[in-house]
């Protein structure tokens, strides 16, 4: 099966055992003579009708240490099927014709190409015009331009003219194929090749001015071929490109090479049968023979536990900032065409997000163009939810593979014991009853105007924006709207929230009597130890629709009686701040800045559950016990010091040494000691 064999060669040529070259053509054109000249470096007037297959070892092969296996074929009718079998299994085919016999040249297109098409052969074909030393006839333009023919050679087995070049071209067509690079029917580059060259150009364009200056061009040459350019070589290359098309160079004094010039440079390689250069460049930048980035070269996300997330490093943010500056057209925003230009080097299957479906997730302008905050927010969400896709897309954009693009956050166990959270991307879960205003609330984060009746959310919805805090730092706030669907709520409470949540917002509608009851049912697990929810997460109630008629909030969970719910009493009971009252005209930037600060400094906003109260009581008891022990030790040391160095202790010692001391003197001494002791305790 030629196709499967060729696919194997294309996928991994380094594991190729040999290149199978089949020599075919009409009778008497010199097929066997061409093979003998190449193998034995000699010419014989008489050769066998059919030569045996010839193995050319590695030391005599042309490229990448892959040996050759050359097959001769017979033109006799009795060997028709055998010849067909050889042609089907060929990696490359050399069609030989006779320069003295025009009919053999005509049969290339009238007989041999149709025969190969009927066999389903798709391997490279090289046409060898033998006996060119005798006749000056040349191949027709139709043969040279045929899309199935890779190359044409005018050679002579008798005079040893370009015989080696013919087999070289046949093997190079396998190891360095043209088909993935150029459409032979139209002569234009394939879409994948243009994407690959565009990415390579952007990687080499370090100053991001859309042109390669002399230093960048020399670095490119050194990286790909191990040798540099002289100033004379650079000038000659620029002159050659300018003569092709003046737009290949910039119009300023630097005369740097543009993207068009870079593509034209590679077009010259192909036209001059130097596809080896093209593939060397592609492989230096991580492409396989299908013009896809080698997955083994794509960085892997940091190893992390279930309660850790990934976020962009500062280097990745700086890279994305420069990319935004380079490709945005006007109004500090990216239009659809700007985004297409940005991802012109990225295959459709590797796009990080839909280029037309982001206005409901991040900040955009009124015209629907992507702002800088929206650009960074999209990448921050991608790093959090799909870190591998984020790294792959960054690699296609040209981010260096030897620089870390993602870092992992601290585990939740560490966050629960800390008063300060250190992370760039914050995730807030928003709960509330149907129609309470959740969608309208989180829409304000990305600047969507107020809607009276936004579409009902039936699945998890994520929106994000880049928030600037009062200290000048920037954080990405990701808000996840949880729909009023029991199965989704249960999954969030038991999985996503404990694993990745930084803040919980409970929204209730002041104009609906059962709205607070609904969020209290969600809030209740935070106050028990039966469900493994982290009660160390900060919680904030938000009241909406304050501009409407307000009603009492009722709790009807008891079948026999309804109770009034007092949100202020609830907050006092569990040590929470009073609810925020949100209305459409309220300044949203400050509001979401405050939310971000709550997530970063969660201690004042954590609910006082029974477990936390017990923990706090035990912690307080341990603290007072330590203080009591410390005071006892200090008093003991003070008493010892007093007894050791007090004058009373000295007089007692003297009395013991002087028995003649009178009782009057002893009484006076006791009174003085009492006076000194009293004066010592009073200040204390």
């Amino acid at each position: 099966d030629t196709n499967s064999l060729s696919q194997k060669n294309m996928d991994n040529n380094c594991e190729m055992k040999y290149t199978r070259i089949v020599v075919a053509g009409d009778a008497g054109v010199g097929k066997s003579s061409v093979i003998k000249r190449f193998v034995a470096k000699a010419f014989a007037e008489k050769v066998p009708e059919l030569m045996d297959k010839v193995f050319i070892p590695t030391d005599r092969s042309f490229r990448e240490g892959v040996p050759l296996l050359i097959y001769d074929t017979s033109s006799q009718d009795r060997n028709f099927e055998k010849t067909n079998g050889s042609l089907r299994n060929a990696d490359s085919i050399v069609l030989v014709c006779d320069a003295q016999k025009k009919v053999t040249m005509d049969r290339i297109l009238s007989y041999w190409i149709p025969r190969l098409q009927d066999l389903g052969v798709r391997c490279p074909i090289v046409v060898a015009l033998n006996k060119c030393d005798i006749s000056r006839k040349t191949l027709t333009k139709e043969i040279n331009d045929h899309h199935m023919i890779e190359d044409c050679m005018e050679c002579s087995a008798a005079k040893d003219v370009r015989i080696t070049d013919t087999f070289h071209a046949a093997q190079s067509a396998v190891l360095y194929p043209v088909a993935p690079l150029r459409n032979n029917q139209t002569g234009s580059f394939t879409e994948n090749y243009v994407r690959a060259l565009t990415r390579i150009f952007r990687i080499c364009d370090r100053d991001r001015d859309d042109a390669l200056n002399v230093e960048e061009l020399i670095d490119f040459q050194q990286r790909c071929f191990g040798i540099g350019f002289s100033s004379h070589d650079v000038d000659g290359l620029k002159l050659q490109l300018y003569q092709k098309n003046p737009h290949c160079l910039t119009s300023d004094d630097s005369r740097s090479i543009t993207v068009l010039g870079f593509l034209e440079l590679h077009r010259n390689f192909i036209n001059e049968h130097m596809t080896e250069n093209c593939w060397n460049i592609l492989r230096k930048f991580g492409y396989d023979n299908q013009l896809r980035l080698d997955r083994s070269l794509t960085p892997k996300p940091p190893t992390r536990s279930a309660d850790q997330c990934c976020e962009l490093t500062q280097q990745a943010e700086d890279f994305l900032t420069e990319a935004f500056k380079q490709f945005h057209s006007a109004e500090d925003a990216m239009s659809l065409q700007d985004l297409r230009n940005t991802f012109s080097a990225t295959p459709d299957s590797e796009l990080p997000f839909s280029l037309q479906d982001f206005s409901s997730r991040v900040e955009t302008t009124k015209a629907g163009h992507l702002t800088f905050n929206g650009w960074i927010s999209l990448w921050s969400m991608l790093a959090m939810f799909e870190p591998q896709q984020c790294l792959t897309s960054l690699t296609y954009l040209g981010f260096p593979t030897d620089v870390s693009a993602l870092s992992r956050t601290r585990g939740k166990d560490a966050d629960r014991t800390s008063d300060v959270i250190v992370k760039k991307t914050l995730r807030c879960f928003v709960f509330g009853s149907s129609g309470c205003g959740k969608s309208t609330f989180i829409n304000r984060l990305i600047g969507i105007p107020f809607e009276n009746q936004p579409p009902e959310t039936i699945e998890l919805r994520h929106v994000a924006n880049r928030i600037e805090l009062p200290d000048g730092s920037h954080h990405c706030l990701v808000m996840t709207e949880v729909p009023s669907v029991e199965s989704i709520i249960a999954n969030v409470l038991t999985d996503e929230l404990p694993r990745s949540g930084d803040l919980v917002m409970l929204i209730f509608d002041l104009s609906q009597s059962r709205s607070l009851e609904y969020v209290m049912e969600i809030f209740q697990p935070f106050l028990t130890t039966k469900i493994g929810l982290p009660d160390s997460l900060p919680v904030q109630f938000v009241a909406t629709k304050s501009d409407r008629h307000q009603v009492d909030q009722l709790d009807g969970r008891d079948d026999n009686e309804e109770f009034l719910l007092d949100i202020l009493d609830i907050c006092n009971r569990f040590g929470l701040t009073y609810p925020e009252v949100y209305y459409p005209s309220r300044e949203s930037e400050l509001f979401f800045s405050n939310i971000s600060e709550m997530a970063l400094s969660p201690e004042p906003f954590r609910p006082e559950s029974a477990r936390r109260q017990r923990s706090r009581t035990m912690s307080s008891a341990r603290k007072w016990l330590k203080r009591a022990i410390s005071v006892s030790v200090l008093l003991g040391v003070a008493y010892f010091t007093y007894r050791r160095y007090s004058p009373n202790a000295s007089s007692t010692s003297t009395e013991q040494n002087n028995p003649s001391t009178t009782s009057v003197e002893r009484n006076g001494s006791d009174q003085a000691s009492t006076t000194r002791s009293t004066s010592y305790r009073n200040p204390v």
Side-chain angles (χ1 to χ4, degrees):
D1 186 349
T2 303
N3 294 338
S4 61
L5 179 62
S6 300
Q7 185 65 39
K8 176 186 175 183
N9 294 339
M10 292 284 287
D11 285 345
N12 201 340
N13 57 45
C14 294
E15 295 182 359
M16 194 180 205
K17 295 180 179 180
Y18 48 79
T19 303
R20 188 194 305 263
I21 299 178
V22 175
V23 181
D26 292 336
V29 296
K31 300 186 297 296
S32 300
S33 297
V34 168
I35 296 174
K36 186 173 182 61
R37 168 60 77 176
F38 175 65
V39 174
K41 303 298 181 184
F43 177 75
E45 292 292 341
K46 293 183 179 181
V47 293
E49 178 183 346
L50 184 65
M51 293 187 67
D52 295 331
K53 65 180 179 181
V54 180
F55 182 79
I56 307 297
T58 301
D59 57 349
R60 289 192 58 193
S61 64
F62 300 107
R63 291 291 183 268
E64 299 197 12
V66 179
L68 300 177
L69 193 59
I70 301 175
Y71 287 80
D72 193 7
T73 57
S74 172
S75 303
Q76 301 296 327
D77 291 341
R78 64 177 182 272
N79 295 320
F80 186 84
E81 289 302 327
K82 183 178 180 180
T83 298
N84 282 349
S86 297
L87 293 173
R88 286 193 187 97
N89 293 321
D91 296 327
S92 183
I93 296 175
V94 175
L95 288 180
V96 183
C97 55
D98 189 342
Q100 291 182 303
K101 301 176 181 178
K102 186 176 183 301
V103 64
T104 62
M105 291 187 283
D106 295 341
R107 279 172 57 83
I108 294 292
L109 296 183
S110 63
Y111 173 76
W112 284 104
I113 294 297
R115 180 176 176 179
L116 294 175
Q117 289 175 330
D118 292 341
L119 294 174
V121 173
R122 297 182 181 179
C123 67
I125 299 171
V126 175
V127 174
L129 181 61
N130 191 24
K131 305 179 184 179
C132 66
D133 58 316
I134 300 175
S135 174
R136 294 187 176 181
K137 291 181 180 179
T138 60
L139 295 171
T140 63
K141 186 176 184 300
E142 289 77 13
I143 294 178
N144 279 285
D145 295 342
H146 196 279
H147 68 276
M148 287 186 63
I149 297 175
E150 195 82 18
D151 206 349
C152 296
M153 293 287 178
E154 295 180 2
C155 60
S156 171
K159 300 298 182 181
D160 194 14
V161 176
R162 302 195 73 183
I163 295 297
T164 300
D165 291 344
T166 299
F167 286 94
H168 179 198
Q171 187 182 36
S172 295
V174 178
L175 299 179
Y176 312 108
V178 176
L181 312 181
R182 183 183 65 187
N183 187 322
N184 286 336
Q185 292 181 329
T186 63
S188 59
F189 284 164
T190 62
E191 185 177 356
N192 287 340
Y193 190 39
V194 172
R195 285 173 173 166
L197 291 180
T198 302
R199 173 178 171 267
I200 293 171
F201 178 87
R202 290 176 180 173
I203 293 175
C204 297
D205 181 23
R206 296 192 304 271
D207 57 7
R208 292 184 173 274
D209 62 350
D210 289 330
L212 296 183
N213 57 37
V214 175
E215 292 182 358
E216 293 167 342
L217 191 62
I218 292 175
D219 289 345
F220 166 75
Q221 174 78 3
Q222 184 70 38
R223 175 174 180 174
C224 296
F225 304 107
I227 57 175
F229 266 140
S230 66
S231 58
H232 178 73
D233 293 334
V234 173
D235 293 339
L237 178 62
K238 288 182 177 181
L239 178 61
Q240 180 184 5
L241 293 175
Y242 184 80
Q243 290 174 346
K244 287 276 187 180
N245 188 337
H247 295 292
C248 290
L249 305 179
T250 58
S251 57
D252 57 14
D253 295 336
S254 67
R255 310 295 286 172
S256 299
I257 296 179
T258 62
V259 175
L260 180 62
F262 193 70
L263 296 178
E264 190 61 40
L265 174 64
H266 288 76
R267 196 183 310 278
N268 291 342
F269 286 151
I270 296 178
N271 292 339
E272 296 173 9
H273 306 290
M274 299 170 64
T275 54
E276 178 182 354
N277 288 350
C278 299
W279 282 106
N280 283 339
I281 293 170
L282 289 168
R283 289 163 185 166
K284 287 291 183 180
F285 286 88
Y287 286 93
D288 61 15
N289 285 353
Q290 298 299 320
L291 296 185
R292 297 172 303 200
L293 277 181
D294 189 345
R295 291 292 183 181
S296 64
L297 300 178
T298 304
K300 303 300 180 185
T303 303
R304 59 201 184 280
S305 59
D307 62 345
Q308 290 179 301
C309 298
C310 288
E311 57 185 14
L312 298 172
T313 61
Q314 190 59 50
Q315 293 91 332
E317 282 196 18
D318 293 342
F319 174 82
L320 292 171
T321 300
E322 292 300 319
F324 183 87
K325 292 178 180 178
Q326 180 180 2
F327 292 105
H328 85 277
S329 55
E331 299 180 1
D332 291 331
M334 279 187 171
S335 65
L336 178 59
Q337 186 58 48
D338 294 336
L339 288 169
R340 287 172 177 166
N341 294 338
T342 304
F343 295 107
S344 59
T346 306
D348 292 342
S349 60
E350 301 294 348
L351 288 174
F353 42 79
S354 172
L355 302 186
Q356 296 179 327
D357 183 27
F358 50 77
S359 61
S360 62
R361 294 185 291 157
V362 294
E363 181 184 75
T364 58
T365 64
K366 292 181 179 179
H369 297 166
L370 186 64
T371 64
F372 173 71
N373 285 343
W375 169 254
I376 295 296
S377 299
L378 279 173
W379 285 98
S380 297
M381 281 199 294
L382 192 66
M384 173 179 284
F385 298 121
E386 299 180 71
Q388 184 58 68
Q389 181 61 56
C390 180
L391 289 174
T392 301
S393 300
L394 281 172
T395 302
Y396 273 106
L397 277 185
F399 186 79
T401 55
D402 57 346
V403 179
S404 297
L406 299 180
S407 62
R408 62 185 177 190
T409 61
R410 190 169 58 179
K412 285 299 178 184
D413 288 338
D415 285 346
R416 289 174 191 134
T417 59
S418 175
D419 295 340
V420 178
I421 307 300
V422 181
K423 60 192 311 185
K424 292 183 178 179
T425 305
L426 307 170
R427 190 175 185 190
C428 172
F429 286 86
V430 180
F431 296 90
S433 60
S434 180
C436 70
K438 299 189 301 293
S439 299
T440 301
F441 173 70
I442 69 171
N443 282 345
R444 295 300 298 159
L445 175 65
I446 56 177
I448 296 180
F450 172 75
E451 293 182 83
N452 286 324
Q453 293 293 334
E456 184 177 0
T457 304
I458 58 175
E459 58 184 5
L460 289 179
R461 176 184 172 221
H462 312 287
V463 302
N465 205 352
R466 190 166 176 261
I467 305 297
E468 181 177 3
L469 300 186
D471 62 0
S473 62
H474 292 87
H475 297 266
C476 180
L477 176 60
V478 180
M479 302 194 78
T480 299
E481 179 183 359
V482 183
S484 304
V485 180
E486 290 187 5
S487 58
I488 297 178
I489 293 175
N491 180 66
V492 169
L493 291 178
T494 57
D495 181 28
E496 290 198 49
L497 183 59
R499 181 166 46 86
S500 61
D502 297 302
L503 176 68
V504 176
M505 304 213 72
L506 302 174
I507 298 182
F508 65 97
D509 183 354
L510 292 172
S511 63
Q512 296 293 329
S513 61
R514 301 290 185 180
S515 187
L516 182 57
E517 174 192 356
Y518 180 88
V519 293
M520 281 303 297
E521 290 182 0
I522 297 173
F523 180 61
Q524 193 65 34
F526 285 88
L527 313 178
T528 66
T529 57
K530 296 180 180 179
I531 300 180
L533 288 176
D535 55 6
S536 57
L537 282 178
V539 175
Q540 178 66 56
F541 284 94
V542 178
T544 61
K545 303 185 182 180
S546 60
D547 54 331
R548 298 186 182 181
H549 175 67
Q550 301 181 21
V551 297
D552 291 334
Q553 297 294 321
L554 301 177
D555 184 353
R557 287 176 287 180
D558 189 339
D559 296 335
N560 299 324
E561 190 176 0
E562 288 186 340
F563 298 92
L564 286 175
L565 287 176
D566 187 348
I567 184 61
L568 301 183
D569 179 61
I570 293 173
C571 292
N572 287 330
R573 191 191 322 161
F574 299 111
L576 295 175
T577 58
Y578 287 163
E580 292 280 351
V581 179
Y582 184 78
Y583 42 89
S585 61
R586 180 171 179 177
E587 180 62 37
S588 59
E589 291 185 7
L590 180 60
F591 184 80
F592 291 113
S593 175
N594 293 339
I595 290 177
S596 302
E597 288 186 304
M598 289 172 58
L600 293 171
S601 302
E603 181 57 30
F605 311 99
R606 289 168 173 163
E608 285 289 345
S609 66
R611 185 180 65 83
R612 280 177 55 82
Q613 289 175 355
R614 288 194 301 270
S615 176
R616 190 183 298 275
T617 301
M618 293 297 295
S619 177
S620 178
R622 285 193 296 267
K623 185 186 299 183
W624 281 107
L625 179 60
K626 290 180 181 178
R627 289 177 180 176
I629 294 174
S630 300
V631 170
S632 299
V633 171
L634 288 174
L635 289 175
V637 171
Y639 178 75
F640 173 79
T641 304
Y642 165 73
R643 295 294 297 168
R644 176 70 179 83
Y645 296 105
S646 172
N648 183 36
S650 299
S651 63
T652 302
S653 176
T654 302
E655 286 185 9
Q656 292 174 353
N657 295 330
N658 189 5
S660 60
T661 304
T662 63
S663 60
V664 175
E665 291 174 340
R666 285 196 297 270
N667 291 338
S669 177
D670 291 341
Q671 292 175 2
S673 176
T674 302
T675 304
R676 283 193 295 270
S677 177
T678 303
S679 64
Y680 176 79
R681 288 196 296 269
N682 283 341
V684 177

